[in-house]
Amino acid sequence: MSSPSPAPNDAALARFARAAEEAVAEGRLPFVVAMASDRTGPIFEAAYGTAAPGGPPAGPETVLWLASMTKAITSAAALQLVERGKLDLDAPAARLLPELGAISVLEGFEPDGLPRLRPPRLPLTLRHLLTHTAGFGYDMWSPALARAQAALGLPPLSSGKRQALHLPLLFDPGEGWCYGINTDWVGLLIEAAAGMRLGAWLDAHLLGPLGMRDTGFRLSPERRARLARLHVRRPGGDFVPIAAPVAEEGEFERGGGGLYGTVRDYLAFIRLILDEGRTAAGERLLGPASMEVLRKSAVRGMAGIGRFDRATANRSHAFEFFPGLRKGWSLAFLV
């Protein structure tokens, strides 16, 4: 267990530090790594517990699977290419990535169990993908998609196979909102527009300039030695470590959930958004137009980030972020 450094002088941070320390000590969380920043830089840092069984104490250097926090970084990269005229928010995405033109809408199932599919009524666009209004979902949260996936012989997303992204749409583009594999497709659009792997673009235009040296799609031996284990809570309330459900050596780099990184690195990305698209050194990575669409809600009236229920979801319970507040989705994250 480590003590907060520097010691928080803000009452709210002090309360958080006490709550985090107690949660780990009582077994309600396996570990906590936390940082906070103001305009001038980090002002709070704390870590409690161990990030892997038998491993060293958790700390700012602990490497974590970023999971869906990858989405905001990939979305920012897409907007960089929009600024350069390499991507268009509203042009049919299939012009650049023809395999998107083969995606169908799932209308139901035939008596023999095969999916009933039809072409979408509107072309799917980058804007649809960035706002999660394209119609894509996640098979792990949608019984219909899981059934279609099995019937079509598609591999699971965890396989790292590109064919896993060829799930049908749950609705026509623009006619709903559903959290899903949209940003994985955005990563492939970035590769098509930039002529390089997603990770290479991120390294050159976001991660590198921000000093996010511990963030990437693959783990070096040194990073792997600092990797936190993913934990799940068992029915009795205790935690058990499991393997992260992401393939490092897959056929594509998952723009929707494949990055590994540290809390310290991710704070640098958050500061980019708060500092009008500029790094701490003043280098502009995102222009004013991109910052406007990043912060402005493009999808309004959402009841929550997802439509999950305990009967059908195998990884999540029904939940609601920020109860009572109006919410929407920008071109990168919840607003």
Side-chain angles (χ1 to χ4, degrees):
M1 180 180 299
S2 65
S3 299
S5 176
N9 54 16
D10 180 275
L13 290 176
R15 288 196 302 273
F16 170 81
R18 287 195 300 272
E21 184 175 17
E22 291 171 0
V24 173
E26 296 169 3
R28 289 182 283 115
L29 288 175
F31 70 95
V32 171
V33 180
M35 294 183 69
S37 173
D38 65 8
R39 289 181 180 275
T40 61
I43 59 171
F44 172 75
E45 183 177 292
Y48 305 99
T50 57
E61 296 79 22
T62 297
V63 175
L64 306 114
W65 176 44
L66 296 184
S68 282
M69 289 166 61
T70 305
K71 289 179 170 63
I73 295 176
T74 301
S75 299
L79 290 175
Q80 288 181 318
L81 285 161
V82 170
E83 291 177 1
R84 290 163 171 78
K86 300 289 188 179
L87 283 175
D88 187 313
L89 284 171
D90 298 305
R95 292 179 184 173
L96 196 59
L97 204 61
E99 61 191 294
L100 273 172
I103 299 296
S104 300
V105 178
L106 177 64
E107 286 198 318
F109 294 87
E110 302 294 348
D112 61 2
L114 289 177
R116 188 165 61 252
L117 304 171
R118 64 165 174 81
R121 297 188 179 95
L122 290 174
L124 192 152
T125 68
L126 175 60
R127 190 184 300 275
H128 290 138
L129 293 169
L130 290 173
T131 56
H132 291 270
T133 60
F136 286 114
Y138 276 124
D139 62 281
M140 62 185 178
W141 286 331
S142 168
L145 285 181
R147 184 179 175 187
Q149 179 189 61
L152 295 170
L154 298 175
L157 191 60
S158 60
S159 69
K161 295 185 180 298
R162 189 161 173 147
Q163 192 66 19
L165 297 180
H166 287 238
L167 289 171
L169 306 178
L170 291 169
F171 49 81
D172 282 289
E175 293 192 0
W177 185 91
C178 188
Y179 196 67
I181 60 172
N182 303 275
T183 321
D184 292 305
W185 281 108
V186 172
L188 295 181
L189 279 170
I190 289 172
E191 292 188 348
M196 64 177 71
R197 293 278 277 180
L198 175 59
W201 178 270
L202 295 181
D203 286 341
H205 299 279
L206 270 175
L207 306 180
L210 286 169
M212 297 172 65
R213 298 178 183 86
D214 275 326
T215 302
F217 288 105
R218 288 170 180 79
L219 291 164
S220 66
E222 192 276 332
R223 280 184 193 166
R224 190 177 297 279
R226 295 184 278 127
L227 179 64
R229 292 290 299 275
L230 189 67
H231 293 73
V232 295
R233 193 190 303 272
R234 293 193 288 196
D238 61 329
F239 290 90
V240 59
I242 64 171
V246 60
E248 282 182 67
E249 300 300 329
E251 294 176 355
F252 69 102
E253 293 174 329
R254 281 188 54 192
L259 284 176
Y260 293 89
T262 62
V263 174
R264 179 173 286 161
D265 272 11
Y266 208 81
L267 189 62
F269 174 70
I270 293 172
R271 286 181 57 85
L272 174 74
I273 304 302
L274 296 176
D275 290 342
E276 303 296 329
R278 296 183 184 275
T279 68
E283 180 184 359
R284 178 170 285 285
L285 302 183
L286 289 165
S290 294
M291 295 310 306
E292 174 70 15
V293 295
L294 277 176
R295 287 194 293 251
K296 183 179 179 181
S297 178
V299 181
R300 299 182 183 277
M302 289 161 40
I305 195 170
R307 298 187 291 269
F308 313 137
D309 65 74
R310 298 185 183 186
T312 60
N314 59 14
R315 287 188 179 270
S316 177
H317 294 295
F319 63 92
E320 166 72 4
F321 287 143
F322 311 113
L325 293 183
R326 288 184 300 126
K327 290 169 287 296
W329 193 271
S330 76
L331 267 63
F333 39 68
L334 190 70
V335 176

